Amino acid sequence: RAADGRVTAPAIKFNGYRPVLPRQVVELADRVGLPVVSIPADTPIDELLTASFSLLVAPAAAGRAGARDTHGLLLKVVLAGGGLGALVHELSGLLGGAVVAVVDATGEVRATAGPTDDLPEEWGRRWGAEPPVAGARGVAALAPVRAGNIDHGWVVVADSGRPLPGIAPVAVEDGPVVAALEMTRDLAVLTVDR
């Protein structure tokens, strides 16, 4: 049952009542490919649980802190009035120098950061009627830019052949929110001008 479930490896602490693991258990574990960890009798179980809990919780806490930092950094772009150019520049930096573009709902490239020389020509000008699709035309990741029920376009990240950094899901998720704020503001300014 452990091998079929979500158990990576059972850990067993031996004591005077159970000094060794029965041979049948070892054979069964070998047969199903389940490693068994032996905990020395003199190891306090509290120390083991504390150390294990720290190892499991630390990466999640670091991930949440990184997400907060990323969100704050991108929000500062909007508050400072940096526009879409500053946004794609920040996103590119967060994504290890990847090419990032904001494409509006008509397919027009509104802003781009990073070297587009090795990418299809639409990365620099216009995507046309067909929206970007992950895995096609050099696209590694993309997310829609929406404000309420209005689709403003996409934030698109180029496939550089290298894996994106661990912060990529947060950056690709938060980037469109900031882009939506910028694009909504631009529409409001255009409306006032008219």
Side-chain angles (χ1 to χ4, degrees), residues 1-2 5 18-19 24 27-28 33 35 42 45 54 58 63 70 103 120-121 126-127 137 139 145-146 151 153 183:
R1 283 198 305 267
R18 176 66 67 183
Q24 301 94 318
E27 290 172 357
L28 177 60
D42 61 346
I45 199 74
S54 296
T70 299
V103 180
E121 65 182 50
R126 185 167 177 75
W127 284 78
R137 296 192 286 181
V139 176
V145 177
R146 288 194 181 102
D151 289 329
M183 293 169 97

Side-chain angles (χ1 to χ4, degrees), residues 57-137:
V57 170
R64 281 193 301 277
R68 244 187 343 269
D69 292 347
T70 299
H71 184 73
L73 182 68
L74 296 178
L75 203 51
K76 282 180 185 175
V77 170
V78 170
L79 296 175
L84 294 175
L87 171 64
V88 292
H89 180 74
E90 285 296 335
L91 283 171
S92 177
L94 286 169
L95 298 174
V99 176
V100 178
V102 174
V103 180
D104 69 18
T106 69
E108 194 74 33
V109 176
R110 296 280 304 276
T112 187
T116 58
D117 300 343
D118 297 330
L119 293 170
E121 65 182 50
E122 55 261 33
W123 279 86
R125 293 183 306 208
R126 185 167 177 75
W127 284 78
E130 291 297 316
V133 177
R137 296 192 286 181

Side-chain angles (χ1 to χ4, degrees), residues 13 43-53:
K13 182 176 177 181
T43 301
I45 199 74
D46 306 8
E47 287 179 18
L48 182 66
L49 291 174
T50 301
S52 299
F53 185 72

Side-chain angles (χ1 to χ4, degrees), residues 143-154 176-177 179-181 184:
V145 177
R146 288 194 181 102
N149 59 356
I150 300 172
D151 289 329
H152 287 286
W154 303 270
V177 173
L181 290 170
T184 301

Side-chain angles (χ1 to χ4, degrees), residues 134-192:
R137 296 192 286 181
V139 176
L142 75 149
V145 177
R146 288 194 181 102
N149 59 356
I150 300 172
D151 289 329
H152 287 286
W154 303 270
V155 169
V156 189
V157 181
D159 185 356
S160 66
R162 301 185 319 258
L164 293 171
I167 198 70
V170 173
V172 172
E173 183 178 311
D174 282 357
V177 173
V178 176
L181 290 170
E182 290 287 349
M183 293 169 97
T184 301
R185 185 180 65 192
D186 290 349
L187 280 174
V189 169
L190 183 63
T191 301
V192 169

